[in-house]
Amino acid sequence: MEVKKITTNTLLKMKASGEKIAMITAYDFSFAKLFDKAGIDVILVGDSASNVMAGHVTTLPITLDQMIYHAQSVVRGIERCLVVVDLPFGSYQGNSKEALNSAIRIMKETGGHSIKLEGGEEVVESIKRIVSTGIPVMGHLGLTPQSIYQFGTYTVRAKEEQEAAKLKRDALLLQEAGCFAIVLEKIPASLAKEVSEGLSIPTIGIGAGGDCDGQVLVMHDMLGINTDFKPRFLRKYLNLADQINGAMQQYISDVKSKDFPNEKEQY
Ligand code: KIV
């Protein structure tokens, strides 16, 4: 049977019909395959790979080549969902030509369907240039982790009127520049609601309340692999760290006690 693929147009239609969009991060073939089979709408190959795959404290160190490697692995695992790939820090902020070249590398070398980049007014020229070549762009406003050294903390953004007003302006600018969707990270739910209602393109929230048009979580957080991260917005659907620990202890014990392998588990 032919698989009905999710496209950027599908997401627009979902917003129009009120169907929420479910997005999750993934960084490798095996998890991407599981998530796609489960029916996820969008997989984000996030630069959070820098944290959860490589163990860095921030998203800043990951390179474009490393993002391409992760995205290639994810794309091999999926059949139907839309794949969005983050442009990493330093691959697009220089100028719009650099941004376009990075976006083109992602599209040519990974088979991903779209890119995401962080920022408002300051990246509008780059977004227009990338969109003009036919590459779909997702925006990202609010807590933008690539600017963590400017913010100083990972606390909720845009609580003050001035920052909230800039975020509202930026959201409209991103829509006008041609973004097909915008991630809203860690902002007050009331602001996210206002922004979502004022846009024709979907918003995807993370810590931005239930009125966004969709939600995204980092897979390691929602599966309970990453146990140190416990923000209020996170719902844990599994406690994989405990389950993996239990399985490993059992395996170690079985090997040491010579229980594994038994006669049926050998040739
Ligand atoms: O890199 C990432 O995982 C992200 C999500 C938190 C939206 O940008």
Side-chain angles (χ1 to χ4, degrees):
M1 221 173 67
E2 206 193 314
V3 183
K4 187 138 175 44
K5 291 186 188 292
I6 309 271
T7 67
T8 56
N9 264 330
T10 318
L11 303 191
L12 283 170
K13 283 187 196 145
M14 286 168 83
K15 172 165 177 132
S17 71
E19 181 184 345
K20 298 280 186 183
I21 299 161
M23 172 159 128
I24 189 74
T25 67
Y27 317 94
D28 72 348
F29 167 81
S30 302
F31 277 108
K33 191 169 174 182
L34 289 171
F35 300 162
D36 186 62
K37 278 220 158 23
I40 198 77
D41 298 313
V42 186
I43 287 183
L44 169 65
V45 186
D47 60 356
S48 48
S50 180
N51 309 106
V52 297
M53 299 302 289
H56 292 297
V57 174
T58 72
T59 57
L60 275 68
I62 200 160
T63 65
L64 184 58
D65 285 338
Q66 288 165 339
M67 287 302 299
I68 287 172
Y69 166 77
H70 286 295
Q72 286 170 336
S73 310
V74 164
V75 168
R76 282 183 216 117
I78 63 104
E79 278 183 6
R80 57 174 292 283
C81 70
L82 183 81
V83 176
V84 183
V85 185
D86 260 338
L87 286 190
F89 178 70
S91 73
Y92 63 96
Q93 290 91 345
N95 55 56
S96 64
K97 186 161 183 251
E98 181 188 44
L100 176 61
N101 287 340
S102 300
I104 287 177
R105 276 201 65 198
I106 299 251
M107 300 302 284
K108 275 184 106 77
E109 295 177 37
T110 73
H113 311 126
S114 58
I115 62 100
K116 174 166 86 57
L117 50 78
E118 296 181 6
E121 194 177 0
E122 59 286 356
V123 289
V124 159
E125 193 193 321
S126 298
I127 292 173
K128 285 187 180 158
R129 196 157 176 183
I130 296 170
V131 170
S132 75
T133 66
I135 300 174
V137 176
M138 178 179 276
H140 186 154
L141 296 172
L143 177 64
T144 45
Q146 292 178 12
S147 306
I148 189 57
Y149 289 114
Q150 197 172 53
F151 296 149
T153 82
Y154 285 98
T155 53
V156 180
R157 302 303 313 174
K159 275 165 62 178
E160 307 302 330
E161 189 41 50
Q162 210 181 346
E163 195 179 335
K166 173 168 165 36
L167 191 142
K168 285 187 254 178
R169 273 199 313 277
D170 281 345
L172 285 172
L173 286 173
L174 295 193
Q175 174 171 269
E176 278 162 28
C179 282
F180 70 90
I182 302 176
V183 167
L184 297 177
E185 181 163 354
K186 229 173 171 188
I187 61 169
S190 54
L191 175 62
K193 180 176 194 294
E194 197 183 332
V195 171
S196 304
E197 285 172 359
L199 296 176
S200 55
I201 58 171
T203 59
I204 315 282
I206 173 163
D211 288 306
C212 293
D213 303 300
Q215 298 292 325
V216 57
L217 286 174
V218 170
M219 58 161 280
H220 289 69
D221 302 337
M222 63 91 78
L223 294 178
I225 299 172
N226 179 8
T227 49
D228 303 333
F229 188 60
K230 296 174 183 150
R232 186 206 295 201
F233 70 77
L234 177 63
R235 185 178 295 180
K236 284 199 178 169
Y237 288 84
L238 266 184
N239 203 334
L240 257 189
D242 278 356
Q243 287 177 269
I244 290 174
N245 187 43
M248 277 303 137
Q249 288 189 10
Q250 187 64 55
Y251 169 63
I252 293 164
S253 151
D254 289 353
V255 170
K256 305 252 177 220
S257 68
K258 302 182 188 157
D259 178 79
F260 175 78
N262 64 23
E263 278 179 16
K264 286 190 199 144
E265 291 162 333
Q266 61 193 9
Y267 301 98

